[in-house]
Structures are given as C-alpha cells and as structure tokens.
Amino acid sequence: MTQPIPYFDLPAQLRSLRKDIDAAIARTIDNCSFCLGPDVVRFEKDFAQYCGAGNCVGLNSGTSALHVAMLLAGVGPGDEVITTPYTFVATSWAISYVGARPVYVDVDDATFNLDAARVERAITPRTKAILPVHLYGHPFDLDPFLEICRKHTLPLVEDAAQAHGANYKGRKVGTFGRISCFSFYPGKNLGACGEGGALVTNDAGLAARARALREHGSTQRYYHDEVGFNYRMEGIQGAVLGVKLKHLENWTQKRRTIAHTYHDLLADTPLQLSREAGYAESAWHLYVVRHAQRDELKKHLEANGVGCALHYPLPLHLQKCYAGLGYKAGDFPVAEKAARECLSLPIYPELTDKQVQRVADVIKEFFVAGKRR
Ligand SMILES: *Cc1c(COP(=O)(O)O)cnc(C)c1O
C-alpha cells in the first residue's frame, strides 16, 4: 500500500524548521514580550521590505486586517463595497463589520478573479471602496483596477491573504492598492503557529491609525481617541513568522515548480488547468483544476489516498448568512459553475516529485477507467 498523500502537510514543514522555531519562541517567552513587542516590530520591518512597502502593521488575523482596512478606507453604514462572491467568506465579513453592503460582481472564467470592466458597471454613488482578492495566489489584473479607482476616486484594497510573494508585471502584490491585507493562518503560504495577519500600506498616516485601532484606539496608554479593538499580533507569532519569512521565496519557487510539473503531467487529460495570465506570477497558494465530474474525481482521489479539497463549494451570494442581500442562484453564473467544478490538488513545498507524479497518475486512472472525457 502506497503512503497516502495529504492535501496539506504542515508537520513536514514544521519538522524542517523545528529547532529554529523552538529557539525563537523560547527567546520570546524569556523576554515576556507576548503582545506585540520586539519580534513583531522586527517582522513588520522585514515583511514590509519583502513586499516593497513603506509600512506593515502586524495584527491577530487576516480578517482583522480586512476589518481595519475597511475603517481606514472610510467605509461605514449604508456604503457599498464591490467585491467577489468567489472567495473565503472573511473578505465579505470586513464589509459587513463596518455596516456596509457587499456588492458582488461575477468573476473571470480563466483566473476566477474579479474583472475590472464588470466592476466599473457596478459602481454607484454609494460605492466607497473596491475589494478584489488575489484568489489562489494568482494576482488579479491590477492596472485596469487602478485606472478605475483613479477615475472614480475610490480606494483599492487588495485581499492578498493567499498571495504572499505573487508578482504582477514583475512587482510583488501588496503595494498597488491603497491598503493590502495578508493572513498568516497556518495553512497560508506564510503561516504562524496560530493566528496572525498584517496590513501593508505605503501611507504612513494610515499605518499609524491602524496601529492605534489594533490597540484599543490608543497611541498613549489609557487615552482612547476612537473606539478600537484588541487586534494585536502576538509576540510568539512575530517570532515564528520571522523564522519562516526567510524561507518564503524558496518555498514559492518550489510551489511554482510543482505547478508547472502538474501542467505538464495533466496537459493531455480532460481537466481544465489554471494557467498564469501574461501579467502574473502566481504564488500558487492552491493548484485548482476543473471538471464537470468534480465530485466523482474527488471521491476517486480520496479512495486512492490522495488528499484534495474544495475552494469554494458555495459562493458567498448563496450563503445563508447573506440571504438578506437578496441575491439568488443564477446571478453569478461563472462563480457558481466554478464552485461546482473546482478541485484543489495538493501543492506545498514539501511535496516530492514522486508524490506529484502519483497524484497525476491517479487522476489519469480516473479518466481511463471510467472512459470519461
Ligand atoms: C484566509 C483568508 C482570509 C482570512 O484570514 P484569517 O487570517 O484566517 O482571518 C481572508 N481572505 C482570504 C481570501 C483568505 O484566504
């Protein structure tokens, strides 16, 4: 019996770094710098530099980063924010948290990202911001978005939670929009040993306000200029992220190699593969294939010990929590079809060539054995 191939292998990643992580955590504990502190300050500086950004503000999750970004963008009750229905739900939470309304626009069939032409048609006098996602680590086409935002004087907020290190026209995502939001959830390309997130911006004023908002709305202890939050990054997470950040470029390179190997191995199957657009170097957070018999293929993979996952099985406009927005099935056919057809295959730096080959072999078996096309 061959060894099962997990969908994601966090233990393998931690094994290779365990000594460094243990030492970093021990130092933080010795210093008792648990909430923010020097490790977070150092990580913020390093991550800002990695992104080529002026400022990074460490937070306790990507969801918090998006929430703070909406506040910084001046979004409030009754406002509209144009966003994608095909993403993890936290993208929309941020809009809901500030009392605004998510306005969904259908995605592009090739990249699953928002496309600017459709977004422009959805702008109303109530629109206060545009919040696209670099889904699966593949950058959305930033230039047309920046153009629309300039034309309508709207802030662009990038949800880069899946796209650490992705490039748009040769430059890292995270500095094109007014604000960019990252997640360091353990399953992300750069993951903490717990929760974590960050907001990146070139605007020092916005960064200063974000620092106050994450710490109860204060810049001076026990003086509160506005209603704030406890959204501080933990010292231990800053320390862990500092260790891992040094490996991120190398890891991203490995993800690219695996993606290109999948492209080659699966090219002559009936699967629709995710290709990079000409302007993009994906961070390959996920490797997503499409097929009409997705559910059967998923069962076949699992029965043969190959882990896989769905991102995402139900678009946001059809979620129960958003029934009140008044959308219905059929409103966003591209997103709905993607939700029925997409399947995420294992992709992580520790995945071996042999494992990649086996995933491809098991997929090919499905099509041969079932004579499926
Ligand atoms: C993970 C993720 C988030 C939320 O980040 P957390 O750190 O889990 O709060 C937001 N948006 C997208 C697209 C994500 O993938």
Side-chain angles (χ1 to χ4, degrees), residues 173-197:
V173 304
T175 56
F176 292 89
R178 174 115 22 114
I179 305 161
S180 296
C181 301
F182 289 90
S183 164
F184 306 120
Y185 179 78
K188 299 293 158 83
N189 286 22
L190 177 62
C193 286
E195 306 279 353

Side-chain angles (χ1 to χ4, degrees), residues 60-66 86-93 133-136 159-163 181-186 188 194-198 285 312:
N60 63 346
S61 76
T63 306
S64 302
L66 287 160
Y86 194 57
T87 175
F88 181 59
V89 69
T91 312
S92 274
W93 285 160
V133 178
H134 301 296
L135 197 72
Y136 305 154
D159 183 341
Q162 304 185 353
C181 301
F182 289 90
S183 164
F184 306 120
Y185 179 78
K188 299 293 158 83
E195 306 279 353
H285 174 55
Y312 296 88

Side-chain angles (χ1 to χ4, degrees), residues 24-25 27-28 33-44 46 58-59 184 190-193 195-197 232-246:
I25 291 177
R27 276 196 302 276
T28 311
S33 49
F34 295 121
C35 307
L36 299 175
D39 295 304
V40 172
V41 171
R42 197 175 311 116
F43 172 70
E44 287 176 338
D46 292 347
L59 298 161
F184 306 120
L190 177 62
C193 286
E195 306 279 353
R232 292 177 295 236
M233 179 180 275
E234 291 191 347
I236 283 176
Q237 304 312 337
V240 169
L241 290 166
V243 171
K244 287 197 179 185
L245 179 59
K246 296 188 180 73

Side-chain angles (χ1 to χ4, degrees), residues 1-213:
M1 178 67 192
T2 32
Q3 282 283 93
I5 301 173
Y7 171 66
F8 179 55
D9 198 352
L10 199 49
Q13 187 196 74
L14 287 172
R15 258 195 308 279
S16 73
L17 301 174
R18 190 56 190 266
K19 272 207 189 91
D20 292 348
I21 288 178
D22 282 352
I25 291 177
R27 276 196 302 276
T28 311
I29 293 176
D30 288 341
N31 297 336
C32 290
S33 49
F34 295 121
C35 307
L36 299 175
D39 295 304
V40 172
V41 171
R42 197 175 311 116
F43 172 70
E44 287 176 338
K45 202 168 137 272
D46 292 347
F47 193 67
Q49 189 175 20
Y50 176 81
C51 296
N55 311 273
C56 168
V57 181
L59 298 161
N60 63 346
S61 76
T63 306
S64 302
L66 287 160
H67 181 192
V68 171
M70 288 296 102
L71 293 166
L72 297 180
V75 181
D79 293 337
E80 295 176 354
V81 176
I82 301 175
T83 188
T84 167
Y86 194 57
T87 175
F88 181 59
V89 69
T91 312
S92 274
W93 285 160
I95 301 165
S96 303
Y97 290 170
V98 297
R101 177 189 166 89
V103 171
Y104 298 122
V105 168
D106 210 354
V107 295
D108 164 66
D109 195 46
T111 65
F112 311 109
N113 281 326
L114 282 183
D115 94 72
R118 279 190 244 218
V119 164
E120 187 164 28
R121 291 195 291 273
I123 293 174
T124 75
R126 287 171 189 259
T127 307
K128 280 288 156 59
I130 298 178
L131 175 55
V133 178
H134 301 296
L135 197 72
Y136 305 154
H138 187 289
F140 60 86
D141 193 1
L142 278 141
D143 280 341
F145 275 92
L146 292 168
E147 184 54 39
I148 287 171
C149 286
R150 242 190 317 269
K151 194 167 134 195
H152 298 269
T153 50
L154 290 168
L156 180 68
V157 178
E158 299 173 52
D159 183 341
Q162 304 185 353
H164 324 65
N167 284 306
Y168 179 74
K169 299 188 178 171
R171 199 177 113 200
K172 287 208 168 59
V173 304
T175 56
F176 292 89
R178 174 115 22 114
I179 305 161
S180 296
C181 301
F182 289 90
S183 164
F184 306 120
Y185 179 78
K188 299 293 158 83
N189 286 22
L190 177 62
C193 286
E195 306 279 353
L199 179 156
V200 163
T201 178
N202 278 329
D203 184 322
L206 290 181
R209 187 162 166 229
R211 287 179 205 287
L213 283 168

